[in-house]
Amino acid sequence: MQLTDTGRKVYQEVRAAIDEFEREILRGISEEEQLEGIRLMSEIRNNLMQGEL
């Protein structure tokens, strides 16, 4: 599957918007802190899956 020229343009615009959003919401949070947050969310997910709450 390949994107058309229009599809590539739309993808680039959406990707730029997502990148900017991520920069804004993660401002002031170090990469180490982000990785720790991901690790914690993974543990929470595992707990939920085991308990099937």
Side-chain angles (χ1 to χ4, degrees):
M1 179 184 339
Q2 292 183 331
L3 292 175
T4 62
D5 289 340
T6 301
R8 280 189 290 278
K9 181 180 178 192
V10 168
Y11 171 80
Q12 291 170 345
E13 291 171 359
V14 170
R15 184 73 253 171
I18 291 169
D19 290 346
E20 177 62 24
F21 177 72
E22 287 179 349
R23 278 191 296 275
E24 288 177 17
I25 65 171
L26 297 173
R27 189 176 319 136
I29 302 171
S30 71
E31 184 176 350
E32 182 179 303
E33 291 169 321
Q34 292 175 40
L35 292 171
E36 179 66 8
I38 291 168
R39 185 190 69 73
L40 291 169
M41 286 185 274
S42 179
E43 286 197 35
I44 291 169
R45 179 186 173 277
N46 290 339
N47 289 343
L48 288 170
M49 297 299 287
Q50 289 174 359
E52 295 185 28
L53 300 174

